[in-house]
């Protein structure tokens, strides 16, 4: 997740069963848009989606003015007169009303065809971020909130959670610090941001390459070799993932794989290692200023585990539980190396190559042929039908809604039983110049209950870069693109299913670990025959769906060597957690010590420094690299316990929608999942899945 994401019926035929998607009100034809033309208003939706550069600037100024007015009003309440109505309610209303306005300012940076509008949007985002950071440090507003909290009035569990969240926001932003300490905190934040940038810049500026002969690249596909530049009679191999990964997977020459792996593992060099060690120390200083023992405890406090100790215990348990299957996988790879090279000593540079060889022996799957079964239009129609059927929803396309580009589609979402309006989503999935380059979801409006009893509904945008139609034929998607699209649309459904009272508890403003669980759960539908056939059809004859054998092969391919792959991820997560929960750690020494323990005796490749070229630790996932594995474990338990035996069971889907998706952040995430399962979540379904499907 980054974050920063018609009423004509279409018949979607899915394979031999000729499944007809008659319930899907969707048309994928482009509708010419004209900005001056009057557009239909969407009930319950207030966000504006097509502002000019000047309008963005004016709106940002109005947002700031209104926020200042509200904060000043709350701060002016005498501490002996504070009440829910004059302190908490105004801040809740401000959050609800201003969120869609803020999103109207910042979305154009990612989607607008106009460079001027994108620039104005980026400037507005910086302006708004800076102002709201100052708001969260206002001592006068914090005092009013604390005064009301101290009265101990009964205001209901969701309102209490909202109040506690507000107070914690102020405290995590340093409101309790003295002026001198607050200045120190701001200096630390600036310095940390500067170090982050330096770390990434060093990786981006890395331009070294290797010159290799065709013999040294034996085993590489002709298409790969012909695209390489030539220099000094040899082939120029760049040390980027686009060149390195294929070589590590396909090159038969062990010395070349090792040479490439070592060079790639030195990308950041000593400079980046020093930067990372400095970064970690500055983060610890930052956390201690705020009263935390270390940075990991600060970062994890608002997330599901709550403490670094819990994360370390979790990672160690997962690693131990996977050791048996990982050892069996390792034996297979050693046998393959012995047969091919006469040497069973396996190094890190060998893993991808022999995993690929094992895949070729065990799984007969032509990835190029598989792509022929995933036309964009059919994937979309099948995906939308599946979500409608599973969660008892109805999607209606709206032809004349305001959009920012004529390839964007808008849908209303309804409860299939009650016909209640639940929300809206925009599909902006086709590639164009100037648009954000990745697949993601961006929220436009959060659902919430207004003071007059009416409800504003959630709205979201699904962004992607799918290829456009060519000569009237739908473009084709690679299978990973299908999975990514499905994953992100799951976030859309999660957001729109939200029924919390407060905007703050929107489904995409959750504890970070919980936000990914539903989408990782629903990814499983991309690997099961019954659901995959609904999204597939041969591009020249969509009545011919993907075969059951291909579906099984895709699933086996996903799970092959899952134990070893997960062990590699756990290693880096452990490093991330240990350095952010301990002082003065020698990072290179730590990795050398942990590597053979976690990786079943395989030593760290000599000459490499993973910490120097692992940007997730440096920025974005610092102290929370564990989160994806955590979410996978919970998702596996939910899938095996509730859905595996009946993927399209609408009763199960509706119960999941109401019990897990609808509360959003209004309840504790662990409590939501525990209540839904009727027991404590378990690691065993995750381990069993990895063990059963790996070999």
């Amino acid at each position: 997740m980054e974050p920063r994401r018609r009423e004509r019926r279409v018949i979607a035929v899915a394979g031999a069963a000729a499944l007809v998607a008659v319930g899907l009100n969707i048309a994928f034809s482009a509708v010419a848009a004209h900005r001056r033309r009057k557009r239909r208003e969407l009930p319950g939706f207030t966000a504006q989606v097509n502002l000019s550069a000047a309008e963005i600037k004016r709106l940002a100024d109005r947002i700031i003015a209104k926020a200042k007015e509200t904060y000043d009003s709350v701060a002016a309440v005498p501490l002996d007169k504070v009440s829910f109505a004059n302190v908490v309610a105004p801040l809740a209303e401000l959050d609800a009303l201003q969120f869609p306005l803020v999103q109207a300012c910042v979305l154009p940076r990612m989607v607008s065809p106009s460079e001027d509008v994108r620039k104005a949007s980026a400037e507005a985002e910086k302006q708004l971020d800076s102002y709201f950071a100052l708001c969260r440090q206002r001592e006068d507003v914090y005092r009013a909130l604390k005064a009301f909290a101290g009265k101990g009035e009964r205001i209901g569990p969701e309102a209490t959670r909202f109040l506690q969240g507000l107070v914690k926001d102020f405290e995590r932003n340093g409101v309790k610090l003295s002026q001198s300490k607050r200045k120190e905190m701001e200096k630390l934040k600036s310095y940390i941001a500067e170090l982050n940038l330096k770390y990434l810049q060093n990786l981006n500026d890395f331009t070294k390459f290797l010159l290799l002969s065709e013999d040294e690249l034996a085993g590489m596909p002709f298409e790969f070799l012909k695209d390489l530049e030539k220099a000094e009679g040899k082939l120029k191999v760049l040390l980027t993932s686009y060149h390195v990964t294929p070589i590590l997977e396909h090159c038969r020459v062990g010395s070349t794989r090792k040479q490439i792996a070592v060079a790639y593992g030195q990308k950041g060099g000593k400079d980046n290692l020093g930067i990372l060690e400095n970064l970690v120390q500055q983060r610890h200083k930052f956390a201690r200023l705020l009263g935390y023992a270390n940075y990991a405890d600060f970062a994890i406090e608002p997330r599901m585990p709550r403490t670094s100790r819990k994360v370390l215990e979790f990672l160690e348990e997962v690693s131990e539980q996977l050791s048996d299957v990982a050892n069996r996988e390792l034996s297979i790879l050693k046998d393959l190396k012995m047969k091919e090279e006469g040497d069973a000593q396996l190094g890190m540079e060998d893993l991808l190559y022999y995993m690929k060889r094992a895949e070729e022996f065990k799984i007969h799957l032509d990835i190029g042929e598989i792509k022929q079964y995933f036309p964009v239009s059919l994937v979309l129609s099948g995906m939308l039908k599946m979500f409608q059927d599973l969660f008892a929803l109805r999607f209606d396309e709206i032809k004349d809604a305001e959009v920012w580009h004529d390839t964007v589609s808008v849908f209303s979402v309804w409860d299939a039983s009650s016909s209640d309006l639940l929300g809206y989503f925009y599909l902006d999935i086709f590639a164009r110049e100037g648009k954000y380059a990745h697949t993601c979801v961006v929220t436009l409006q959060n659902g919430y209950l207004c003071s007059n009893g009416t409800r504003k509904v959630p709205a979201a945008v699904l962004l992607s870069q799918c290829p456009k139609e060519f000569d009237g034929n739908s473009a084709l998607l690679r299978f990973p693109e299908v999975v990514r699209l499905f994953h992100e649309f799951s976030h859309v459904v999660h957001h729109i299913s939200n029924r919390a009272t407060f905007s703050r508890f929107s489904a995409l403003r959750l504890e970070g670990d919980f936000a990914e669980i539903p989408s990782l759960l629903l990814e499983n539908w991309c690997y099961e025959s019954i659901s995959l056939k609904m999204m597939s059809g041969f591009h020249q004859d969509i009545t011919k769906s993907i075969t059951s054998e291909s579906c099984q092969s895709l699933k086996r391919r996903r799970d092959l060597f899952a134990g070893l792959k997960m062990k590699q991820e756990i290693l880096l997560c452990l490093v991330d957690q240990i350095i952010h929960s301990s002082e003065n750690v020698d990072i290179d020494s730590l990795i050398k010590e942990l590597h053979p323990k976690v990786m079943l005796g395989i030593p760290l490749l000599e000459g490499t420094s993973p910490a120097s070229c692992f940007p997730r630790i440096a920025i974005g996932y610092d102290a929370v690299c564990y989160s994806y594995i955590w979410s996978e474990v919970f998702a596996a338990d939910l899938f095996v316990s509730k859905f595996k035996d009946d993927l399209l069971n609408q009763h199960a889907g509706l119960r999941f929608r109401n019990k897990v998706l609808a509360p959003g952040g209004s309840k504790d995430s662990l409590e939501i999942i525990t209540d839904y399962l009727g027991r404590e979540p378990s690691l065993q379904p995750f381990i069993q899945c990895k063990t059963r499907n790996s070999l």
Side-chain angles (χ1 to χ4, degrees):
M1 192 199 348
E2 281 296 307
R4 310 195 140 154
R5 312 112 306 272
R6 311 181 218 225
E7 297 165 349
R8 188 194 309 173
R9 296 192 173 188
V10 169
I11 296 195
V13 183
L19 179 63
V20 181
V22 294
L24 179 60
N25 298 328
I26 176 174
F28 292 106
S29 57
V31 178
H34 192 286
R35 185 164 181 200
R36 300 295 181 190
R37 178 179 163 191
K38 186 176 180 181
R39 295 296 187 177
R40 181 194 299 189
E41 291 186 3
L42 305 182
F45 179 62
T46 59
Q48 302 173 75
V49 298
N50 203 11
L51 298 177
S52 68
E55 287 169 336
I56 290 171
K57 177 67 171 73
R58 288 195 295 270
L59 180 55
D61 291 340
R62 289 201 302 272
I63 290 169
I64 289 172
K66 179 60 179 177
K68 184 178 186 308
E69 177 187 323
T70 302
Y71 274 81
D72 288 347
S73 174
V74 170
V77 177
L79 297 184
D80 60 345
K81 301 290 186 183
V82 294
S83 67
F84 186 86
N86 61 24
V87 171
V88 182
L91 294 176
E93 184 177 7
L94 180 72
D95 177 62
L97 295 177
Q98 290 214 324
F99 184 83
L101 302 180
V102 171
Q103 295 305 94
C105 288
V106 302
L107 175 69
R109 174 180 66 83
M110 306 175 76
V111 301
S112 176
S114 165
E115 185 176 352
D116 288 342
V117 171
R118 294 196 300 270
K119 182 178 178 182
S121 175
E123 290 171 351
E125 184 173 25
K126 290 179 184 177
Q127 179 187 5
L128 292 168
D129 283 347
S130 297
Y131 182 75
F132 289 131
L134 293 175
C135 288
R136 290 189 292 270
Q137 293 182 342
R138 285 192 57 163
E139 295 177 63
D140 48 4
V141 176
Y142 174 72
R143 283 194 296 269
L145 287 167
K146 287 289 285 183
F148 175 72
K151 295 175 72 173
E153 290 186 9
R154 292 187 178 181
I155 55 176
E158 190 172 341
T160 298
R161 187 171 173 84
F162 177 80
L163 175 60
Q164 291 170 343
L166 281 181
V167 170
K168 182 57 72 173
D169 283 349
F170 278 89
E171 292 174 351
R172 287 174 64 84
N173 280 278
V175 73
K176 294 169 69 174
L177 300 179
S178 65
Q179 285 298 323
S180 61
K181 292 292 186 183
R182 201 176 297 174
K183 287 181 180 178
E184 183 181 350
M185 185 187 78
E186 292 303 318
K187 285 183 180 179
L188 278 171
K189 286 168 67 175
S190 296
Y191 187 36
I192 288 170
E194 180 184 328
L195 291 172
N196 287 338
L197 186 61
K198 281 184 179 179
Y199 187 100
L200 294 179
Q201 196 65 49
N202 284 344
L203 292 179
N204 292 335
D205 290 347
F206 188 82
T207 57
K208 291 184 180 179
F209 56 87
L210 297 178
L211 295 178
L212 300 171
S213 67
E214 287 196 27
D215 288 342
E216 290 173 307
L217 290 169
M220 297 307 298
F222 172 75
E223 292 76 11
F224 178 86
L225 295 175
K226 74 180 179 65
D227 288 339
L228 297 179
E229 293 182 31
K230 291 186 177 180
E232 301 175 22
K234 292 192 173 185
L235 299 172
K236 184 177 180 180
V237 174
L238 304 179
L239 294 175
T240 67
S241 59
Y242 297 106
H243 283 181
V244 170
T245 301
I247 290 174
L248 292 179
E249 286 184 335
H250 296 284
C251 183
R252 293 199 300 266
V253 184
S255 58
T256 299
R257 295 196 304 270
K258 186 170 186 176
Q259 185 182 1
I260 287 285
V262 170
Y264 189 67
Q266 296 173 336
K267 277 185 72 172
K270 292 182 179 179
D271 284 351
N272 265 10
L273 182 61
I275 289 171
L276 182 59
E277 289 177 340
N278 192 5
L279 255 176
V280 171
Q281 293 310 311
Q282 302 311 312
R283 287 169 181 158
H284 284 316
K285 288 180 184 178
F286 177 85
R288 286 196 299 270
L289 269 179
L290 293 171
Y292 296 86
N294 53 65
Y295 182 75
D297 279 347
F298 167 78
I300 295 167
E301 181 193 45
R303 305 175 79 94
M304 289 180 73
R306 304 300 181 208
T307 67
S308 175
R309 180 179 177 182
K310 179 71 174 176
V311 172
L312 285 168
E313 290 172 352
F314 166 77
L315 291 171
E316 288 165 359
E317 183 179 5
V318 175
S319 182
E320 181 181 350
Q321 294 278 339
L322 286 172
S323 289
D324 285 347
V325 66
N327 265 311
R328 293 198 297 272
E329 294 167 351
L330 194 58
S331 295
I332 291 173
L333 299 183
K334 286 180 177 180
D335 288 345
L336 287 173
K337 185 172 184 184
M338 175 61 76
K339 290 176 183 176
E340 184 164 323
E341 299 185 46
D343 177 13
Q345 187 65 37
L346 206 71
M348 290 302 294
E349 72 277 12
D350 298 318
L351 288 185
L352 284 179
Y353 177 75
Y354 286 105
M355 284 180 183
K356 197 72 176 177
R357 297 291 76 71
E359 178 185 318
E360 291 169 354
F361 294 141
K362 292 175 177 289
I363 300 173
H364 304 290
L365 188 67
D366 186 332
I367 296 299
E369 181 183 346
I370 289 295
K371 182 179 179 179
Q372 308 298 313
Y373 287 87
F374 294 111
V376 175
S377 59
L378 191 57
V379 169
L380 286 170
S381 63
M383 178 180 74
L384 297 187
K385 174 171 171 52
M386 197 181 315
F387 277 95
Q388 289 177 102
D389 290 348
L390 181 61
F391 292 116
L393 300 170
R394 189 180 86 244
F395 302 156
D396 291 341
E397 191 168 8
I398 304 169
K399 288 184 178 180
D400 52 353
E402 182 78 14
V403 292
W404 51 89
H405 193 269
D406 59 10
T407 59
V408 176
S409 303
V410 188
F411 296 81
S412 54
V413 181
W414 307 81
D415 185 288
S417 299
S418 67
S419 294
D420 289 340
L421 175 66
L422 299 180
Y424 301 95
F425 64 86
Y426 292 70
L427 294 183
D428 185 357
I429 63 168
F430 295 108
R432 64 175 179 272
E433 186 178 354
K435 181 182 166 186
Y436 184 68
H438 303 287
T439 301
C440 69
V441 173
V442 180
T443 52
L444 286 178
Q445 180 170 288
N446 294 327
Y448 63 94
L449 192 65
C450 303
S451 56
N452 63 5
T454 61
R455 187 168 186 86
K456 296 296 183 184
V457 297
V461 183
L462 174 61
L463 297 178
S464 191
Q465 287 280 9
C466 298
K468 298 176 184 177
E469 287 187 357
F470 182 74
D471 285 344
N473 297 316
S474 181
L476 304 176
L477 294 177
R478 294 181 297 111
F479 183 67
E481 293 171 330
V482 174
V483 177
R484 196 173 304 121
L485 208 59
F486 198 92
H487 177 104
E488 293 302 326
F489 190 73
S490 301
H491 285 305
V492 171
V493 172
H494 191 177
H495 180 61
I496 288 172
S497 298
N498 177 261
R499 302 297 289 171
T501 298
F502 292 88
S503 170
R504 178 188 178 93
F505 298 136
S506 155
L508 297 186
R509 295 172 78 183
L510 298 170
E511 297 167 347
D513 310 313
F514 186 46
E516 288 298 325
I517 291 173
S519 288
L520 287 171
L521 160 68
L522 289 161
E523 271 189 27
N524 286 286
W525 274 250
C526 294
Y527 295 92
E528 301 291 339
S529 293
I530 188 172
S531 44
L532 199 52
K533 286 174 182 284
M534 292 175 66
M535 297 188 291
S536 66
F538 189 61
H539 69 107
Q540 293 177 337
D541 180 1
I542 62 173
T543 64
K544 296 179 180 179
S545 74
I546 190 171
T547 65
S548 297
E549 291 76 15
S550 293
C551 295
Q552 292 168 5
S553 294
L554 286 168
K555 187 174 183 178
R556 290 187 65 201
R557 186 172 183 263
R558 176 196 65 178
D559 295 333
L560 200 63
F561 297 103
L564 279 173
K565 291 174 183 176
M566 188 59 66
K567 282 273 195 177
Q568 288 180 274
E569 185 68 19
I570 289 170
L571 172 64
L572 292 169
C573 292
L574 282 169
V575 172
D576 171 56
Q577 203 58 219
I578 291 170
I579 65 176
H580 284 112
S581 59
S582 309
E583 290 282 353
N584 301 315
V585 177
D586 183 322
I587 300 178
D588 262 358
S589 296
L590 172 67
I591 297 176
K592 286 176 184 176
E593 178 187 348
L594 281 178
H595 202 285
K597 292 179 180 178
V598 177
M599 293 305 299
L600 308 172
I602 302 177
L604 177 68
L605 189 57
E606 190 170 349
T608 62
S609 177
S612 72
C613 51
F614 187 54
R616 275 194 292 162
I617 292 181
I619 183 170
Y621 290 89
D622 33 293
V624 296
C625 285
Y626 76 89
S627 182
Y628 193 84
I629 301 175
W630 178 281
S631 300
E632 269 200 288
V633 167
F634 279 76
D637 194 1
L638 291 168
F639 179 68
V640 171
S641 303
K642 300 296 182 179
F643 291 102
K644 186 175 185 295
D645 296 329
D646 193 354
L647 289 173
L648 300 180
N649 185 322
Q650 190 174 93
H651 175 74
L654 187 57
R655 185 169 181 269
F656 182 77
R657 189 185 115 196
N658 291 331
K659 295 289 186 181
V660 178
L661 303 184
S666 64
K667 296 180 181 179
D668 178 79
S669 301
L670 189 56
E671 179 185 326
I672 289 173
I673 293 176
T674 300
D675 287 348
Y676 175 69
L677 289 171
R679 57 169 171 76
E680 291 289 325
S682 171
L683 173 62
Q684 289 313 303
F686 174 79
I687 300 299
Q688 290 166 6
C689 287
K690 298 299 181 186
T691 302
R692 185 186 310 118
N693 300 327
S694 174
L695 299 173

